């Protein structure tokens, strides 16, 4: 890693050269009071027309450098120490031209020259200076040598300028005259527009890559919340715009955005205090990215000191931080190594900056160390810079302003001390590359046009500037450090960025070291985390996030007052995290995983045989089945006995079949839902009830009709055959109804989500109760049975079965009245619904079995003596005459039969023992 050091200690009042500071010239109060920056008012002081550094040559390269500063009062101000250090860039250009001229492999027989002018950091002044180059172009193209006192200087191209806003204005003017321009420091993305700036190129990358490198840097350190300060120029505006566009891509939020207005000379301390106040207002944002020239950064640092927040921020940017420059007072009197410098270093400690690759230039330090004002005649500004850099006054040198220095230079000053004071020779290698780019482009042109003949051939005398620009765009070369320099299609250099870091050593000295590299061309980012140090006593960097990272399954709720701040909210039980800021509900039948990252199907549930409701229902149904089977066995074993015959045994067997099915349907209802099961459960319930009620209806109807016959009237459709036929006809109606319903509502399996966290597998009819439509017909049969049972309630006392049937129907009616409310009030509880249907079916079957068959089984098994024709009913006499007038009496040995037997004889019904008696 490249390393440079400078040394100063708090309380020291000596600059790097050892010159003393005259504190009486400091108008800045030590308590942080406001300090104005008036311009010099000595009207006797006048600025010379030109500051020119020049080298004669066959081909001249122009140069535009900020030797002085600009202001509103004057187009060009006296030199300050901040500006004086830029003398090294001018000397870098002159040094490079010297080396090129010594290299016989470059431009054989051709010498390069230089014509360097001052921009004063002002677009207006730079344009006035550039008239030298424009007149030179006019002289080459049209033979115009001068206009007024503007001398025509024919140049092949121009190196400069430093600031992007100055370069933009220069490029707009120079391209009108086809003068190529290569900047060594202008990084605004606006200059990448090849249609607007056809004759512009640069040896530094565009800030688009720089901003991307900054974003990678802050994300690599887990900083997601930062503030941005930028100057109101193309450089600052475009950099901020690019950062705002990339913020979401890198997951970074911009807290405070502060624009520094121009011009510099009108900004008061209060303006800088307002900038710092806006930064402090965002309490969670500890990182400040700066896209502003170091003059503005100094004002911000002074405001930070006034606020007492030297340890508050981590500064990230591009330019070197103002840690060693002396504060300038109103009279431009230097204050070398003031205590303020130590505070600047304290503020900048831990800072990070990205700069296009800074490489040492072999021999340049030695070249600078040998320069003296007395011997450097080709650079008139060198003497003035010397005075400001060493805070001393030179003898026998004209001063265009009163410098304010009272101490004369000793002659022992050496530029090496200044090089040690400044962190590194920033921008020197970029200037060298700019000059080398011109040299290699001219060399390629010379090779093609002059065919290797030394000297300028006619085809290059003068140099065709349009052709030169095309050569510049196609030129790539290895610089003096062995690195490849090439331009992209926009004229931007594809040079990686070095990451520089300011840190304090245990000795108290501060060092500026290289800690990483960002090679955007190969998408390579490296950072030496072990070399990073926030503070000597606190090495770990502060956290710069508005909120801690949300946990898994938590979304971010943005706060109104802090657009980049949020609170974390856990997604609800059935929501998953759609993105950082939104939870969405899972579809029905699905639930989020443990971390709410995705939805997964909820396992299917259905009523199981081991469920408590199922056990109760199956127990009840099983007992009923056993009882029904037992009853059937008893009836079959006593099939020809009077009790069985008297109960209409064919209808009794049909009725027992319905009872058996009513109990068995419970096991179907509790089975796992499937299409066959749904069809059986849906049709089975209605068919079971229909079979039972059809038999009972035929039975009660026959009994009612029988006792309505007049003596001697011929009975119709009262035989066993017709009883069975009528029962089957009534039953077949339900079958037709089922077939039709299955066409409109086919039995299907569906999922029901009674509770959001459950996925119930049910039959479709269980949910919408459409199968109750199928039960309308058996309900009608039940109602008719009840009506007939009520009508036959007063038959003779011997016909007690009619009373049993009536009681049965009343009981069934009560069961269904209880079932319906339970069913419809159970809501979404499918288990309760299924259990209620099962219990209702078993209860109805049990009522029929208990009321109609239990008394007969009791007689058959427990009172066999009553199982004869004479004792089936009670003996009574009735005065009934036959057709011939005789009185009927029982001819059998058994006790007299009931009125039914007598009545059958009257109507001619056979009474032999093998016939049915009713």
């Amino acid at each position: 890693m490249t390393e440079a050091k400078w040394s100063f200690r708090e309380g020291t009042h000596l600059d790097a050269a050892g010159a003393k500071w005259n504190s009486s010239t400091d108008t800045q109060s030590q308590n942080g009071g406001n300090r104005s920056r008036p311009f010099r008012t000595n009207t006797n002081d006048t600025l010379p027309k030109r500051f020119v550094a020049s080298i004669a040559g066959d081909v001249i390269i122009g140069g535009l450098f900020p030797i002085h500063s600009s202001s509103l009062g004057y187009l060009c101000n006296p030199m300050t120490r901040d500006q004086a250090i830029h003398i090294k860039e001018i000397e870098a250009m002159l040094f490079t031209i010297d080396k090129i001229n010594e290299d016989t492999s470059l431009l054989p027989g051709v010498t390069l020259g230089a014509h360097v002018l001052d921009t004063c950091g002002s677009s207006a002044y730079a344009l006035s200076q550039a008239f030298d180059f424009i007149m030179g172009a006019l002289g080459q193209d049209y033979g115009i040598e001068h206009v007024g006192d503007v001398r025509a200087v024919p140049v092949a191209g121009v190196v400069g300028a430093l600031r992007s806003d100055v370069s933009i204005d220069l490029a707009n003017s120079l391209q009108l005259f086809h003068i190529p321009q290569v900047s060594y420091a202008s990084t605004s993305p606006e200059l990448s527009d090849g249609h607007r700036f056809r004759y512009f190129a640069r040896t530094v990358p565009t800030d688009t890559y720089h901003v991307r490198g900054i974003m990678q840097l802050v994300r690599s350190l887990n900083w997601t919340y930062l503030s941005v300060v930028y100057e109101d120029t193309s450089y600052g505006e475009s950099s901020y715009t690019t950062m705002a566009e990339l913020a979401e891509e890198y997951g970074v939020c911009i807290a405070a955005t502060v624009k520094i207005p121009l011009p510099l000379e009108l900004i008061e301390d209060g303006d800088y205090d307002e900038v710092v106040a806006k930064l402090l207002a965002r309490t969670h944002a500890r990182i400040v990215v700066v896209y502003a020239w170091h003059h503005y950064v100094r004002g911000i640092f002074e405001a930070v000191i006034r606020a007492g927040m030297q340890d508050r921020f981590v500064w990230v940017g591009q330019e070197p931080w103002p840690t060693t420059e002396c504060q300038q007072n109103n009279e431009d009197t230097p204050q070398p190594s003031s205590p303020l410098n130590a505070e600047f270093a304290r503020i900048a400690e831990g800072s990070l900056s990205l700069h296009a690759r800074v490489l040492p230039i072999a021999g340049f330090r030695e070249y600078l160390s040998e320069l003296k004002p007395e011997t450097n005649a080709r650079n008139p500004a060198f003497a003035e810079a010397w005075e400001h850099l060493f805070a001393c006054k030179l003898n026998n040198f004209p001063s265009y302003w009163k410098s304010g220095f009272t101490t004369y230079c000793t002659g022992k000053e050496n530029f090496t001390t200044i090089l040690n004071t400044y962190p590194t020779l920033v921008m020197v290698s970029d200037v060298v590359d700019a000059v080398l780019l011109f040299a290699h482009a001219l060399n390629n042109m010379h090779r093609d046009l002059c065919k290797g003949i030394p000297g300028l051939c006619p085809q290059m005398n003068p140099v065709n500037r349009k052709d030169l620009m095309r050569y510049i765009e196609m030129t790539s070369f290895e610089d003096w450090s062995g690195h490849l320099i090439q331009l992209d299609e926009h004229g931007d250099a594809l040079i990686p960025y070095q990451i520089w870091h300011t840190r304090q050593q245990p000795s108290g000295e501060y060092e500026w070291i290289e800690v990483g590299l960002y090679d955007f061309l190969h998408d390579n980012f490296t950072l030496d985390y072990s070399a990073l140090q926030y503070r000597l006593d606190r090495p770990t960097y502060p956290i710069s996030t508005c909120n801690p990272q949300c946990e898994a399954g938590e979304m971010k709720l943005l706060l109104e007052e802090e657009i980049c701040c949020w609170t974390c909210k856990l997604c609800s039980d059935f929501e998953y995290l759609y993105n950082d800021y939104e939870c969405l509900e899972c579809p029905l039948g699905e639930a989020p995983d443990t971390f709410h990252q995705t939805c997964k199907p909820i396992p299917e549930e259905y009523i199981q045989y081991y469920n408590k409701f199922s056990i109760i229902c199956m127990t009840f149904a099983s007992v009923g089945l056993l009882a029904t089977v037992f009853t059937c066995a008893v009836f079959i074993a006593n099939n020809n006995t009077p009790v069985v015959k008297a109960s209409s045994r064919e209808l009794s067997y049909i009725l027992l079949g319905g009872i058996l099915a009513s109990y068995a349907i419970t096991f179907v209802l509790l089975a796992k839902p499937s299409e066959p099961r749904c069809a059986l459960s849906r049709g089975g319930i209605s068919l079971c009830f229909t079979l039972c009620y059809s038999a009972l209806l035929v039975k009660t109807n026959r009994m009612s009709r029988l006792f309505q016959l007049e003596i001697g009237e011929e009975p119709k459709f009262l035989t066993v055959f017709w009883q069975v036929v009528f029962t089957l006809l009534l039953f077949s109606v339900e079958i037709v109804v089922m077939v039709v319903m299955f066409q409109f509502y086919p039995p299907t399996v569906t999922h029901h989500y009674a509770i959001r966290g459950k996925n119930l597998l049910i039959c479709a009819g269980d949910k919408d109760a459409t199968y109750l439509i199928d039960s309308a017909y058996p309900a009608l049969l039940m109602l008719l049975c009840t009506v007939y049972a009520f009508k036959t309630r007063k038959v003779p006392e011997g016909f007690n079965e009619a009373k049993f049937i009536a009681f049965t129907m009343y009981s069934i009616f009560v069961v269904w009245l209880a079932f319906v409310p339970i069913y419809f009030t159970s809501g979404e509880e499918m288990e309760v619904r299924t259990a209620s249907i099962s219990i209702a079916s078993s209860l109805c079957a049990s009522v029929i079995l208990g009321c109609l068959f239990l008394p007969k089984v009791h007689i058959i098994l427990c009172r066999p003596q009553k199982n004869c024709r004479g004792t089936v009913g009670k003996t009574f006499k009735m005065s009934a005459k036959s057709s011939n007038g005789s009185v009927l009496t029982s001819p059998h040995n058994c006790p007299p039969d009931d009125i039914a037997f007598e009545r059958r004889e009257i109507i001619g019904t056979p009474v032999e023992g093998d016939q049915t008696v009713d």
Side-chain angles (χ1 to χ4, degrees), residues 549-588:
Q549 185 68 28
C550 290
E551 299 294 333
E554 292 182 339
M555 69 174 182
K556 299 175 182 177
L557 289 179
L558 297 179
L559 304 179
E560 293 182 1
E561 66 278 8
E562 293 278 358
I563 60 172
C564 290
C565 292
W566 56 83
T567 58
C568 296
K569 179 185 176 182
L570 184 66
C571 294
S572 66
D573 291 342
F574 296 99
E575 290 182 336
Y576 70 99
L577 192 63
Y578 178 69
N579 54 39
D580 287 345
Y581 305 97
E582 187 177 9
C583 290
L584 294 182
E585 188 173 4
C586 290
L588 290 175

Side-chain angles (χ1 to χ4, degrees), residues 20 172 195 219 275 293 395 445 452 474 506 618 851:
K20 292 185 178 180
N172 284 324
H195 297 288
R219 288 301 290 126
V275 170
W293 203 239
N395 275 323
M445 178 184 281
M474 296 184 295
M618 288 190 298
C851 292

Side-chain angles (χ1 to χ4, degrees), residues 598-618:
T598 186
C599 294
K600 294 184 176 181
I602 300 173
E604 291 180 342
E605 295 183 24
Y606 50 90
I607 190 167
Q608 303 282 348
Y609 284 124
Y610 51 79
N611 182 279
K612 61 181 180 180
F613 292 106
S614 301
I615 294 173
I616 294 173
C617 293
M618 288 190 298

